[in-house]
Amino acid sequence: MIEKEYAYYAGCSLEGTASSYDRSIRVILKALGATLRETEDWSCCGSTPAHAMDHVLAGALAARNLAIVERMETATLTTPCPSCLSAFKKAHAKVTQDKAFSDEVNQLLDLPYKGGVKAKSTLQVIYEDVGPDAVTSKVTTVLPDLKAACYYGCILSRPPKLAAFDDPENPVSMDRLLAACGVDVRDFVFKTECCGAAFGVPKKEMVLRLTHKVLTMVQDCGANCVVVACPLCQQNLDLRQAQVNRAMGSSFSIPILYFSQVLGLAFGFQPEELGLDKHIVSADALIRSRRPKGAEDAAPPVKEKARKSTAQGTAGKPGDAPGAEGTASAAKEA
Amino acid sequence: MRVGVFICHCGNNIAGTVDVARAAEETAKLPHVVYSTHYMYTCSEPGQDEIKQAIKRENLDRVVVAACSPRMHELTFRRTVEKAGLNRYFFEMANIREHISWIGENKELNTNKAIEAVRMAVEKVIRDKPLHSTAFKINKRVLVIGAGVAGMQSALDCADGGLDVVLVEKSPAIGGMMARLDKTFPTIDCSICILGPKMVDVAQHEHISLHAYSEIEEIKGYVGNYQVKVRKKTPYVDWTKCTGCGECMEKCPTKNAYDRFNFGVAPTRAINIPFPQAIPKKATIDAQYCRQIQKGKCGVCAKVCRANAINFELPDQFVTEEVGAIIVASGYGLIDQELLPEYGGGRYPDVITGIQYERLLNASGPTSGHIQRPSDGTEPKSIVFVSCAGSRDKSIGIPYCSNFCCMYIAKQAILTKDHIPDSQSYVFYMDIRATGKGYDEFTRRAQEDYGAKYIRGRVSRIYPKGKKMIVQGADTLLGAKVEVEADLVVLATAATAAPGAAALAEKLHISYDTHGFYVESHPKLRPVETNTAGVYLAGAAQGPKDIPASVGQGSAAAAKVLALFSRDMLESDPAIARVNQNACVGCLKCVKTCPFQAIKEQELRGGEVVASVIETICAGCGVCTSTCPCGAIQLQHFTDNQLLAEVNSLCLS
Amino acid sequence: METIHLTGDTLNNFATEIRQTTGEDTSRCYQCGNCTAGCPYTEFFDYPVSQIMRMIQTGQREKALNSRAIWLCATCETCSTRCPCEIDVADVMDGLRNIAYREKRFTERDIRTFYEAFLTSLKHHGRIFELEIIARYNLKSGHLLTDADLGPKVMKQLHFLPKRIKGRDDVARIIKRFMEKK
Amino acid sequence: MSVVEGKELRIVGFLCNWCSYGGADTAGVSRFKQPTDLRIIRVPCSGRVDPLFVVKALINGADGVLVSGCHPRDCHYSDGNYYARRRLEMLKRFLPFVGIDARRFHYTWVSASEGQRWQQTVTEFTTLIHELGPTPAFPQDQTVLKEVRA
């Protein structure tokens, strides 16, 4: 188990449409023994629009946050959002490698960034600093109905020199973390294919076509859900799934889960603690059958229990829902 | 002392950025220089005549030529001065082309630098001593390393010329890559049909002794007299008894051994004979897969062998061969698909390499010449060939062209159509490199007569969809992205240096480039020589090349050896270490540091112990000279005095 | 089709400009088409990426900067990941956008509107406020009903009140300084 | 005559004939432009370079000395470059004791095919020497130096 402290940067999406990602990340990192220190008064990383406009502006917007983290004296910054991560990594690389760029950026900033922050995605933190074995040791619950396609999105491991994490063509970190939870992970070939990214609003027709391709490949590999690590991927695949179906004449009903939510379920947390109730395409049917680890397949009482608690959850009474202990006690009863 | 200086224009190569007239004028003022001139092409016949005449006319006793690199023309000018009656070592070269005119842009600085280069050379030449070669006997046997088509050609040419040849091959059978090919471009001859007779010749030639399944352990000596220690790897089979009946292979229960000969396109047995025409036709056990060797129980082959040839205890054996020259024809390797993750990195059974496809096409291959998808054994109808799979790809450190892929892809596309008439081949290419005789016509035939669809663009990704492989590429001529649904994808994987190439080079003391290919002495004019006297190159060990080029080089290397051996004696390089026994205190540090054991201790009549150089062994590195605490042992032509004079000419002025 | 004249002093200027903007050397591109082959957006582009690279090599500045492709590129990094010549192609596309931005060439109006809505939100609040961006975008673009079909469940997830951070003035200052510098 | 004042500094290079001298030739053949300060002395092997040559050069007015040989394991004379490495490494540690900035001496390995690497080596070393400036004059009364200089 890690006893480690990270500076945490949630990012704008995780305060809005992707709040469930934020919630589930916090829940599982706490369970895994990591301490997250909030990046105080963080601002938007600049994302796609800023770097499209100007590299120096984009660098400054990202570097403002890096400078704040630098003062926190926490060596590693972690963010769940690949887009924010990419903005930080690009800004850091350019500031540390290009003196002229660094000067230009720091001229725009009140507090200069000196180049002392290492940024890692939260997935990387869990995969590398915690590791699949430690994850397995936390698992209390199995998810027998889940057939997952792990979808990493385009920039989590690419370009390889900048990302410096996992394989650019066939990343495996999420697959291994899920496998460590006993989840049936499918061989999915579109792991890094782009979903349309930030073009959901201005170029919807484009995003719908790309998303349709991804969902088709998900279906082809026999998966019944997609597990993601990017708020934008989740948004395009989940939020827009009905739009895809309307535009392309398909009839997908594929829940899109954050990897942190799957880990959370496996650790015994309840769906609403992980924000699963927020998703448009419901995952209820897939997680209904979850049961304590080690219980026999044909142990009906446990199944009953599990089903009941899920039903409670979806009824919208999060306060009443039993937490991790609930599942654990169910296991004891069994 | 009367030194003459000759400054070469080299056309415009030097005169373009060095003021040669001023250089001649300035160097004429140097001490000991009595004559200085400049000339258009000093290396030309009139240029050399000019030197000879000046030596006579001006009564010169030392000569400095400022021109190109001494690695280029030092020997030329040594002969020139020798013809004019001087000792050939009364000559120095100042490199004002490669090291000055070609790399510096400022004419003033270049000219100044050229003058200094001449001054250094003058300081050295006035300290040159006359040196004389001694003659020594040549051992007229030749070692050929590698029995692919290049090495076999060298061996046969040398043997036909009457030389005794020692041929060492690291795999259990000779034939190399060519033995694996089905047909050859641009004639579509059957590869083994033309290679087989050569293999038999090699096996039967009275002048060739073959060590198969053997590697070079150690090489000592010098041109004319090498001692080579060969490790004969154990096949765990006594080859003197093995009849090659193949009974053991049939009965071996391990059916999943990696087939090195077939590049793993199908499994083989732990004990096997690589292919039906194998020479020597002897069984070899792959220890990694053998149950008896790994786990101590099985021994089926030993039970079925009627010749009693199986011996699980058989150790590696060593033989030492004495030879006078070495031809290195150790071949090439191919990259692993792992380097190409965007093409699946080897995870997809229906994405195979060109050499694997060759084995599928081959009648003696694992599918008896029927093209079958490795995944399900069905006959593919849509086949995609991807050229430059790893070649010309800086991102994986292979910027070079693999030379023969364009041609073998065209051949494979043609053969595919022959095998499966209702198939369609697609070839993704960046450029079609078909410069040999009849080559371009051949690639046209693939398209015009056999309907192969050539698409100009690189493939970005290959992934499975259902039973098909989706090949995502570009047609840059259309300016479009294209996709092909393929049943089978063949990657023309990049050619690399052979595994272990660097280690072998180090044993031979020859150079290799960044990619592990061996470096020839001159890229144009000495293509089969190395910088180590007596060591020659043939075939793809020097760089990827096709069969005709490999055979040509094999013969060329053999010709070089035959020329070398046409004399009975060789002249030694006199620029070796020499001991001043009056100054030697007998500490014998030089004996310990000499990399060649060329220094021995000698007891003088008075009982004093001094060092003494064995002239035939000394290679002239000068490590001893830098080691000697009292300057008693001096490397001739590079003495302390000479090198310090060069340093001082630069620093003390 | 027009005849492109390749002679003249300006042939290499554009490539030099791109090198200065991005640090990428486009002369390394040998036009294999790998970027075009892998790009998920090729089907939406007016010119495939490899041709944009070619325009840089041949000094076709107008054509490249007025292309729609440079705006439709999502920086998914497929091209940069697989380029055999180790060119950061996505960065080159970004550099083209930067130049086009400076010169106010916007061939994709909706994308520009979206980006500006984004940056406005950023300037006002220091962080992004998704509902505001959509609202601004819809008003400016005239596509009033964009994503109205997403339904109430989505809308519920969007904050109705923007979060304002203490440092929003910092962010505004960054943008102000940037604008003044230009 | 010496270096062109104000434009060049005095840099002496000892290059082994088989690898680095060939590498410098390759750089020339490929027309890889380089600063002109370096003067090259050809030796058969980097193992022939006596550390005394380096010290003498530096004491007698060189501003920098570069030694380059074959890559370790790729020596034309088996292991001459190992001897070189051992001696030159010792030399690097010894230089400060005679009052010489050790950065003025550099040794490296460049093969005959590495023209580009040679260009880079020369350019970087020359830049460094220019940053360090000319070697300060040695006090004349140091007897050790007098001996060495002799």
Side-chain angles (χ1 to χ4, degrees), chain B residues 392 394 456 458 460 481, chain C residues 30-32 38-39 82 84:
Chain B
R392 302 173 70 194
K394 275 186 200 162
R456 200 274 166 200
R458 212 169 164 106
S460 175
K481 177 173 175 170
Chain C
Y30 56 40
Q31 286 293 318
C32 68
C39 179
R82 297 189 191 145

Side-chain angles (χ1 to χ4, degrees), chain B residues 417 423-426 445-454:
Chain B
K417 194 75 177 173
S423 66
Q424 174 67 53
S425 291
Y426 303 83
R445 267 176 70 199
Q447 297 170 66
E448 293 165 17
D449 301 346
Y450 291 84
K453 200 61 84 191
Y454 271 61

Side-chain angles (χ1 to χ4, degrees), chain B residues 342-343 391-396 429-430 456-461 472-474 476-482, chain C residues 28 30-43 47-48 50-51 78 81-86:
Chain B
E342 67 273 36
Y343 299 161
S391 305
R392 302 173 70 194
D393 189 341
K394 275 186 200 162
S395 70
I396 60 165
Y429 72 99
M430 290 200 286
R456 200 274 166 200
R458 212 169 164 106
V459 169
S460 175
R461 217 195 145 191
Q472 210 174 60
T476 60
L477 303 179
L478 278 177
K481 177 173 175 170
V482 293
Chain C
R28 298 173 70 158
Y30 56 40
Q31 286 293 318
C32 68
N34 198 331
C35 46
T36 295
C39 179
Y41 297 88
T42 301
E43 57 179 298
Y47 300 105
S50 51
Q51 288 191 353
T78 307
T81 301
R82 297 189 191 145
C83 177
C85 305
E86 298 185 302

